[in-house]
């Protein structure tokens, strides 16, 4: 669109606005709300509003109608510019206080020009709402002169010229929109609109390349994802891109290092607030800028005429290196808060350091310090305000909304998680239904302010000073109101086990397990406890269909017993035996060493701070001695495979010194690859290795690799946890106090060897009979005659809120989020291959007794799900069928995978995995790294370059959102192909949970 066409369109809308405002009464400074998605109409509406002599109020088009109505009323806005939002038009159209104008219709009118308006640069340009600590959103009022000051600063700082092409990426309700538009238009450059929905990094690169975009202004979390994606799938970035600006959250130095591995494009880490008119400070990181040593990227120095002060409580400047509160001054400051003079006076202060009379400064509430090079380092908030998905959020605003409900007597809202994964949890006292409260919050607040969970308590815990004791609030939470307490011993027993597994102190007899946070893995743990403590042997399908304590208890019966698997008994004197899974991995390792490498399980953590290397070595020894299977070797002797325990293993951790530089990081990546792909001799225990990379005295990378034959995913979590606890103890000069489970892995191995699974095997073979054992996935390269196990892992961002939508659909369909995701994956594979009868492998925990949950060993088994996809049926119908088969597979989870291969795919094809070539692993909630004493610990993703299947999709839950990755065989697929398949699956999944009653065939239209 040319400047001329844009100007003509804005004139037409401005003329229509002036007519409407004349009817409705313009007021001293009229405000016009704008609710449009990214695109030309949005830019047109904003320019038209300014041309009409009004201030624009940008609104996220995803806001609920009630929230929009409340914001319009508070701002005094009588006109709403929108388009393509029938629900919003319907909600406001009947309210005679508001006039709704469709932008497209106004543009289509004959050429019209608005009348000239005599403007002062002190008139209002726009109003944007931010979260308020008093419970009411704060309307920040920005004047024309502030917007002009900011635009001039941005043009100079970003070096914008008429040849630039600048992305418009920001959410329409975010103030960064102004930084993308006005400096670009003011320099005669081109605005390149990023289409909805927000694209993946690869899709963004494609847009940049096709449009020749030169400048991108991105939310920091998105840039982090882009950096991770580049590491997972290295590629050249579009040559046109000359500058990237990031902001809205703390930047990670690790991401900057990752960016530099793939691009010389400079990064500006920007800091600012709505009250400072977007960006106030910035730090430029070009290719030759030294890597910062601080935990977060510095936010730089004041830009343009902005002033920055670091002050103590006495309002005196702090000395270099000391922590102070950050104040921002300069001509670009906002006017204040619209119609809120008292609040304005609280935050906008006279500037005693300025030379110009009447100057002001804004109290940001952020803690910061000055680094030796003059850069400002952001250290977090001084008050309750937090960043959620890049938005500033005052928990008090959510509290205020909930406290207005008659059934809520007390309420406190607290953030949980860290960094980009922060979510809000509301704790209430009262009789209100938490499900209804969640719906009320969703209708009245933007998505980032809606509590992720709501917990009902009898009373809020208090400190001696009469304040809410946040540390004493329950760590786990439910989203349903308490129901009647359990009745009778059977219900009490079931409720106690459910509460233990889900971390809830009180479970009512009618509480829905899945509202309490249960997933498929929780169901299996509940079943394990029922079986081993009380002999109750229900199936996973029984629990999913029952859904609450009372219904589960009815299935068990008054006597509490319905049959059981044999219990797992302790056998302290029994000789070590080899389990079926261990036997299979040993055989694969003997057949082809590269297959053994594919079963290396790597782990890496970055340790920042004063590391005690002796304590680390001692802690590693403690863990190996504590977990018997780690020091077990596998030897073929006397015509039999034997497990032999090494009672005096040698576990030296090599230390490799590297430079803290880009070259050092490159060598480190090479060392990580070599270490994690080295073949482990299965006869030489311990079958776990450690290595320490030293970048500096306070910066280390600790690597571990454990062979799958002695551990699984849960085992790795146990090892990581115990290592952290042992290091903390050793660092303090104490003996570690690691737990001592009542059972050992050898007890399980004997139990498994004696288990009669013949009936279960027969039933499972019958369930899978007739299914094709080869999935014809289209490949980029010919399949080699023998599997090489060469592979890679890539990741994809999932849309925010997708997990919640999956859980909602699952709950209404007597299924879980796991089942919803698997159904969508099956539909994607069916469309890709043309096969509607699919076999997909899925791992299970395989721990039949709760006392084995603290034991390291290879418990995990692989079940095979049979998906029969019907494109003529609805998604929900397909979900019911798929989830039913998934439960049937889990019912016989102890059937050895080797038995299924022998019964269904006896003729071994060395070119492909047997029976099923794809796997789907829903891992549940990802555990956060455990603290190592006084060290700062961050997990580092490691890819050992192998693949056990042609294609494996893994799904984790990370603070209420999905994290998706795929491990694939590089002999067969290009990374772009697998990334495209993941993107297609996520789009399909998003559509499916939005319209579960749609026919599968319609989901692709």
């Amino acid at each position: 669109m040319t400047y001329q066409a844009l100007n003509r369109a804005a004139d037409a809308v401005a003329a229509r606005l002036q007519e409407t405002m004349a009817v409705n009464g313009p007021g001293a400074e009229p405000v016009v709300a704008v609710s449009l998605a990214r695109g030309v109409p949005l830019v047109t509406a904003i320019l038209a509003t300014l041309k009409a002599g009004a201030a624009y109020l940008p609104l996220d088009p995803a806001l609920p109608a009630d929230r929009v109505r409340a914001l319009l009323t508070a701002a005094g806005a009588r006109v709403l510019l929108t388009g393509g939002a029938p629900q919003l038009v319907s909600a406001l159209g009947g309210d005679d206080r508001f006039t709704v104008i469709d932008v497209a219709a106004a543009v289509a009118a004959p050429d019209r020009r608005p009348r000239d308006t005599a403007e002062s640069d002190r008139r209002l340009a726009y109003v944007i709402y931010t979260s308020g600590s008093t419970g009411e959103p704060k309307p920040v009022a920005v004047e024309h002169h502030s917007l002009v000051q900011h635009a001039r600063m941005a043009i100079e700082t970003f070096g914008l010229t008429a040849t630039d092409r600048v992305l418009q990426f920001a959410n329409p309700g975010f103030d960064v929109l102004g930084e993308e538009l006005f400096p670009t238009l003011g320099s005669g450059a081109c605005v390149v609109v990023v289409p909805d929905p927000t694209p993946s990094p690869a899709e963004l690169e494609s847009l940049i390349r096709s449009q020749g975009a030169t400048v991108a202004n991105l939310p920091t979390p998105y840039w982090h994802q882009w950096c991770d994606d580049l590491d997972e799938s290295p590629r050249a970035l579009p040559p046109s891109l000359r500058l990237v600006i990031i902001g809205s959250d703390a930047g990670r130095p690790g991401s900057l290092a990752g960016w530099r591995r793939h691009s010389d494009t400079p990064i500006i880490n920007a800091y600012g607030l709505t009250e400072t008119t977007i960006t106030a400070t910035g730090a430029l990181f070009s290719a030759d800028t030294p890597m910062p040593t601080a935990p977060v990227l510095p936010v730089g120095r004041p830009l343009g005429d902005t002033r920055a002060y670091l002050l103590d409580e006495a309002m005196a400047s702090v000395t270099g290196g000391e922590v102070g509160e950050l104040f921002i001054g300069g001509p670009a400051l906002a006017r204040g808060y619209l119609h809120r003079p008292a609040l304005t006076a609280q935050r906008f202060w006279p500037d005693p350091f300025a030379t110009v009379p009447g100057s002001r400064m804004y109290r940001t509430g952020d803690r910061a310090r000055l680094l030796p090079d003059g850069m400002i380092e952001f250290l977090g908030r001084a008050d309750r305000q937090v960043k959620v998905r890049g938005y500033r959020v005052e928990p008090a605003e959510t509290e205020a909304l909930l406290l207005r409900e008659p059934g809520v007597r007390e309420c406190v809202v607290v953030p949980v998680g860290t960094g980009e994964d922060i979510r809000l949890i509301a704790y209430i006292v009262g009789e209100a239904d938490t499900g209804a409260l969640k719906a009320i919050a969703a209708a009245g607040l933007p998505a980032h302010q809606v509590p992720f969970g709501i917990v009902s308590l009898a009373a809020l815990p208090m400190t001696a000073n009469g304040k809410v004791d946040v540390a004493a609030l329950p760590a786990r939470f439910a989203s349903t109101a308490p129901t009647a307490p359990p009745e009778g011993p059977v219900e009490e027993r079931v409720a106690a086990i459910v509460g233990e597994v889900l971390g809830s102190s009180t479970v009512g007899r009618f509480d829905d397990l899945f509202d309490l946070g249960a997933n498929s893995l929780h169901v299996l743990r509940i079943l394990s406890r029922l079986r081993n403590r009380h002999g109750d042997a229900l199936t996973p399908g029984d629990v999913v269909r029952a859904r609450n304590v009372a219904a589960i208890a009815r299935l068990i019966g008054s006597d509490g017993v319905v049959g059981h698997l044999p219990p797992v008994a302790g056998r302290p004197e029994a000789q070590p035996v080899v389990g079926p899974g261990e036997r299979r991995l040993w055989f694969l390792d003997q057949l082809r060493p590269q297959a053994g490498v594919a079963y290396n399980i790597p782990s890496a953590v970055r340790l920042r701070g004063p590391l005690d290397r002796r304590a680390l070595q001692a802690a590693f020894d403690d863990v190996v001695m504590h977990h018997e299977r780690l020091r077990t070797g596998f030897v073929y002797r006397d015509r039999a495979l034997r497990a032999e325990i090494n009672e005096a293993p040698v576990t030296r951790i090599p230390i490799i010194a590297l430079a803290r530089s880009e070259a050092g990081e490159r060598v480190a990546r090479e060392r990580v690859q070599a270490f994690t792909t080295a073949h482990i001799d299965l006869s030489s225990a311990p079958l776990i290795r450690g290595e320490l990379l030293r970048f500096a005295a306070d910066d280390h990378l600790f690597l571990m690799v454990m062979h799958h034959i002695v551990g699984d995913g849960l085992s790795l979590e146990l090892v990581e946890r115990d290592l952290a606890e042992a290091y903390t103890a050793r660092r303090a000069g104490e003996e570690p106090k690691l737990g001592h489970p009542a059972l050992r892995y050898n007890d399980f191995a004997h139990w498994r060897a004696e288990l009669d699974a013949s009936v279960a095997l027969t039933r499972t073979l019958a369930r899978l009979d007739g299914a094709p054992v080869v999935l014809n996935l289209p490949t980029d390269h010919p399949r080699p005659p023998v599997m090489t196990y060469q592979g890679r892992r890539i990741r994809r961002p999932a849309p925010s809120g997708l997990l919640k939508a999956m859980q909602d659909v699952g709950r209404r369909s007597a299924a879980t989020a796991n089942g919803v995701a698997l159904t969508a994956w099956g539909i994607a594979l069916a469309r890709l291959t043309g096969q509607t009868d699919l076999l997909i492998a899925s791992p299970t925990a395989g721990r039949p007794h709760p006392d084995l949950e603290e034991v390291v060993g290879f418990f995990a088994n692989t079940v095979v799900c049979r998906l029969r996809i019907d494109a003529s049926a609805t998604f929900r119908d397909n979900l019911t069928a798929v989830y039913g088969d998934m439960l049937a597979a889990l019912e016989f989870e102890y059937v050895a995978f080797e038995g299924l291969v022998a019964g269904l795919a006896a003729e071994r094809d060395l070119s492909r995995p047997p029976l099923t070539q794809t796997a789907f692993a829903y891992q549940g909630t990802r555990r956060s790294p455990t603290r190592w004493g006084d060290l700062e610990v961050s997990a580092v993703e490691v890819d050992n370059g192998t693949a056990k299947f042609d294609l494996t999709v893994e799904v984790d839950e990370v603070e209420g959102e999905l994290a998706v990755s795929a491990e694939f065989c590089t002999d067969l697929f290009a990374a772009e192909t697998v990334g495209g398949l993941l993107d297609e699956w996520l789009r399909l999944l998003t559509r499916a949970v939005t319209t579960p009653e749609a026919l599968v065939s319609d989901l692709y239209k």
Side-chain angles (χ1 to χ4, degrees):
M1 188 178 198
T2 65
Y3 274 80
Q4 183 182 46
L6 177 62
N7 188 59
R8 186 180 298 115
D11 278 347
V13 178
R16 175 78 170 87
L17 274 175
Q18 287 181 338
E19 292 175 356
T20 304
M21 290 190 297
V23 172
N24 290 338
E29 291 181 311
V31 176
V32 173
V34 177
S35 179
L36 288 158
R38 289 187 294 244
V40 171
L42 172 65
V43 181
T44 302
I46 289 174
L47 293 179
T49 302
L50 297 176
K51 279 173 170 281
Y56 68 91
L57 169 65
L59 300 175
D60 183 346
L63 286 177
D66 287 348
R67 175 77 170 184
V68 172
R69 182 183 288 105
L71 295 180
L72 264 62
T73 301
R78 301 182 181 184
V79 182
L80 173 68
L81 292 176
T82 187
Q87 291 181 334
L88 185 60
V89 172
S90 175
L92 299 181
D95 193 328
D96 57 10
R97 293 177 300 169
F98 309 116
T99 300
V100 179
I101 297 177
D102 185 276
V103 172
V107 169
D111 283 353
R112 307 174 66 192
R113 289 180 56 82
R115 64 180 180 276
D116 292 336
T117 56
E119 296 297 340
S120 162
D121 67 353
R122 295 292 170 175
R123 282 180 63 82
L124 201 56
Y126 67 84
V127 177
I128 288 186
Y129 277 90
T130 65
S131 186
S133 60
T134 62
E136 293 293 333
K138 298 181 296 187
V140 181
V142 177
E143 297 174 340
H144 279 267
H145 79 96
S146 299
L147 191 55
V148 170
Q149 287 282 345
H150 171 269
R152 288 173 175 166
M153 177 277 297
I155 291 172
E156 178 183 353
T157 302
F158 304 156
L160 297 178
T161 69
T163 61
D164 274 307
R165 300 173 68 83
V166 181
L167 291 184
Q168 199 281 285
F169 185 98
N171 181 290
F174 203 24
D175 62 350
V176 176
L177 169 68
E179 187 166 270
E180 295 169 327
L181 293 185
F182 297 111
T184 305
L185 299 177
S187 58
C190 176
V191 176
V192 178
V193 175
V194 177
D196 283 322
T198 299
S200 68
E203 291 170 334
L204 183 68
E205 291 168 32
S206 178
L207 176 69
I208 292 171
R209 186 172 283 108
S210 66
Q211 296 295 323
T214 59
V215 178
N217 202 324
L218 304 173
T220 303
Y222 184 92
W223 178 70
H224 287 162
Q225 175 61 44
W226 194 359
C227 296
D228 294 344
D229 196 66
L230 288 172
D231 272 345
E232 292 155 8
S233 180
R235 55 194 182 268
L237 292 181
S240 64
L241 186 64
R242 67 168 186 82
L243 178 65
V244 174
I245 305 106
I246 62 172
S248 83
D249 221 323
R252 300 193 304 240
S255 293
L256 179 61
W259 179 262
R260 288 180 172 180
R261 287 192 284 270
H262 308 284
S263 174
D264 292 332
T265 302
I267 299 293
I268 292 180
N269 186 36
Y271 167 88
L273 303 103
T274 307
E275 290 87 344
T276 64
T277 310
I278 318 172
T279 297
T281 73
L284 174 65
F285 296 98
S286 56
D288 56 355
T289 305
M291 279 293 297
T293 58
V296 298
L297 294 181
V299 295
R301 301 177 177 86
L303 300 176
D305 294 328
T306 301
R307 301 183 298 275
Y309 312 114
L310 290 172
L311 307 179
D312 61 18
E313 293 182 356
M315 302 308 294
S317 297
V318 300
T319 57
E322 292 186 359
V323 177
E325 185 174 349
L326 182 59
F327 286 71
I328 299 293
L333 286 189
R335 174 192 296 176
Y337 300 108
L338 189 66
H339 311 316
R340 305 280 291 280
L343 182 59
T344 299
Q346 289 177 17
R347 306 302 297 189
F348 291 84
W349 293 20
D351 186 347
F353 308 100
T355 58
V356 177
S359 296
R360 299 174 306 144
M361 61 183 185
Y362 174 70
R363 184 174 191 174
T364 69
D366 289 336
R367 298 165 58 250
R369 65 182 171 194
L370 203 63
L371 297 175
D373 61 0
M375 292 273 198
I376 298 171
E377 180 185 5
F378 173 79
L379 298 174
R381 292 292 302 171
D383 53 21
R384 292 185 65 199
Q385 192 179 89
V386 294
K387 280 283 186 77
V388 179
R389 301 182 219 166
Y391 292 89
R392 284 191 294 157
V393 169
E394 293 280 4
E397 186 175 350
T398 304
E399 291 170 355
L401 182 139
L402 296 178
L403 283 168
R404 286 199 290 267
E405 297 306 309
V408 180
R409 296 193 297 276
E410 297 179 76
C411 175
V412 62
V413 175
V414 299
V416 298
T418 59
E420 299 160 17
D421 296 324
I422 289 179
R423 299 290 184 270
L424 300 180
I425 304 299
Y427 296 86
I428 67 163
V429 176
E431 302 76 28
D433 178 82
T434 54
L437 288 178
K438 190 81 173 284
I440 290 168
L445 295 169
H448 54 273
Q449 289 181 245
V450 176
F452 179 61
I454 300 180
V455 186
S456 183
L457 302 175
L460 295 177
M462 308 299 286
T463 65
N465 296 328
K467 297 183 177 180
V468 176
D469 187 353
V470 174
L473 291 167
R476 295 295 296 261
F477 56 87
S479 59
T480 57
T483 62
E487 296 181 356
V490 178
E491 286 191 11
E492 290 174 357
R493 185 174 75 222
V494 174
I497 289 174
V498 170
E500 177 184 334
V501 171
L502 300 182
S504 177
S505 58
T506 57
V507 177
R509 64 192 306 254
F510 299 122
D511 288 350
D512 189 297
L513 268 62
F514 299 99
D515 279 344
L516 293 172
N519 56 35
S520 299
L521 299 177
H522 292 132
V523 168
L524 295 178
R525 294 178 65 192
I526 291 169
L527 290 173
S528 172
R529 283 162 168 74
L530 287 171
R531 176 170 58 243
N532 288 283
R533 294 183 186 174
H534 308 289
D536 308 327
L538 304 178
T539 68
D542 292 334
V543 173
V544 170
R545 285 185 289 271
R547 302 182 74 88
N548 63 51
V549 166
I552 294 172
R554 284 197 299 272
L555 291 174
I556 293 173
S558 59
D559 60 356
V561 179
V562 296
H564 55 84
L565 288 170
V568 182
R571 306 184 190 194
E573 306 302 325
Q575 290 297 311
V577 297
V578 180
E582 294 172 324
R583 191 178 305 277
R584 175 168 61 90
L585 294 193
W586 181 86
F587 176 78
L588 284 173
D589 183 77
Q590 301 302 304
L591 180 68
R592 188 173 178 81
Q594 183 60 27
V597 172
Y599 288 91
N600 285 356
I601 305 178
S603 170
V605 289
R606 196 73 178 243
L607 305 172
R608 290 186 170 89
L611 176 67
D612 186 333
R613 288 179 284 179
R614 291 184 179 179
L616 174 59
Q617 180 67 67
F620 194 70
D621 293 340
D622 291 330
V623 172
V624 172
M625 289 303 298
H626 180 68
H627 293 290
E628 185 178 79
R629 219 56 179 181
L630 294 179
R631 46 192 171 86
T632 300
F634 297 84
V635 181
Y636 192 78
R637 183 185 298 116
D638 299 330
R639 304 182 68 178
L641 181 60
R642 304 178 186 278
E644 296 185 349
I645 300 172
N646 186 344
E647 297 297 349
V650 177
T651 61
R652 187 181 69 85
I653 299 176
I655 301 173
I656 299 175
L658 301 171
R660 182 149 65 179
S661 64
E662 186 171 350
E665 294 285 350
R666 182 174 61 254
V667 174
R669 292 194 299 276
E670 295 170 354
R671 184 58 208 161
V672 169
Q673 182 69 16
F675 179 74
T676 58
T677 57
H679 181 261
I680 296 177
D681 182 357
L682 301 187
S683 67
S684 180
L687 302 187
I688 186 171
R689 308 281 193 265
E691 184 170 285
L692 185 67
L693 306 185
R694 181 186 185 276
F695 298 96
D698 61 349
D699 188 4
H700 295 80
L701 180 66
F702 180 63
L703 309 175
M704 280 193 309
V705 63
M706 173 181 68
H707 199 279
H708 203 348
I709 201 170
V710 295
D712 47 24
L714 178 56
S715 298
L716 181 63
E717 291 189 3
L718 295 174
V719 169
E720 291 173 335
R721 182 202 65 189
D722 288 352
L723 181 62
E725 292 179 0
Y727 173 84
T728 302
R730 291 294 184 185
R731 175 75 167 144
E734 302 171 354
E735 286 285 330
K737 297 178 180 178
L738 304 178
H740 294 282
L743 296 175
R744 303 179 303 154
Y745 183 84
N746 200 45
D747 300 324
F748 165 78
H750 277 277
W751 174 88
R752 186 65 186 81
E754 297 167 1
L755 180 66
D756 181 5
S758 58
V759 173
L761 175 60
T762 299
R763 293 183 181 178
T764 302
L765 291 175
R767 179 176 61 83
L768 303 179
D769 184 46
V773 296
V774 173
L775 182 64
N776 294 314
L777 283 169
T779 62
D780 297 304
H781 314 295
R783 184 179 294 273
V786 177
M787 290 178 63
T788 68
Y789 295 92
Q790 297 294 321
R792 274 190 58 195
R793 181 179 296 275
I794 62 173
R795 288 171 174 78
R796 278 294 184 269
S800 178
L802 180 57
L803 175 58
K804 178 184 178 299
M806 290 162 54
Q807 291 168 335
D808 290 343
V809 170
R811 189 178 298 114
R812 293 193 298 269
S813 306
T816 62
N818 184 356
V820 174
L822 178 59
T823 302
W825 179 240
I827 293 171
L829 288 180
R831 185 171 189 261
L832 180 68
T833 64
Q835 296 175 233
T836 57
D837 193 355
L838 311 168
L839 295 185
I840 298 179
S842 181
T844 66
R847 296 173 186 247
H849 195 288
D851 284 341
L852 293 171
E853 292 176 6
E854 295 291 315
V855 177
V856 168
F858 182 19
F859 295 91
N861 191 26
T862 300
V863 299
V864 178
C865 300
R866 185 174 189 176
L867 280 61
R868 295 179 174 91
I869 303 301
D870 183 356
S872 65
T874 67
F875 178 82
R876 194 185 300 278
D877 290 339
N878 276 273
L879 169 60
T880 300
V882 168
Y883 195 64
D885 189 89
M886 177 179 162
L887 294 176
L890 291 173
E891 185 174 351
F892 299 122
E893 66 166 315
Y894 296 106
V895 171
F897 183 71
E898 296 76 14
L900 299 180
V901 172
L904 296 169
E907 294 185 9
R908 186 73 167 93
D909 179 356
L910 297 181
S911 71
R912 66 183 76 236
L915 189 56
T916 174
Q917 290 78 56
T918 63
F920 187 88
Y922 197 98
Q923 309 285 25
T925 304
R926 182 187 297 173
R927 183 183 57 83
S928 300
T930 308
R931 288 200 63 82
W932 293 44
D934 54 355
L935 297 178
E936 179 188 337
V937 182
S938 57
V940 177
E941 297 286 350
V942 179
D943 179 6
N944 69 353
T946 64
K948 295 177 279 294
F949 290 86
D950 289 356
L951 179 60
T952 300
V953 172
E954 294 188 4
V955 181
D956 293 276
E957 296 177 8
V958 182
E959 295 294 341
E961 300 290 355
L962 286 187
V964 176
S965 65
E967 178 186 273
F968 62 95
C969 175
T970 51
D971 289 332
L972 302 177
F973 303 107
E976 294 77 10
T977 299
V978 177
L981 179 55
L982 286 181
D983 292 339
E984 180 179 352
W985 168 58
L986 286 170
R987 285 192 292 268
L988 169 69
L989 181 56
T990 301
R991 288 193 292 267
V993 297
T994 304
T995 55
E997 303 303 334
L999 297 178
V1000 166
S1001 57
D1002 291 339
L1003 291 176
Y1004 282 100
K1005 293 180 178 179

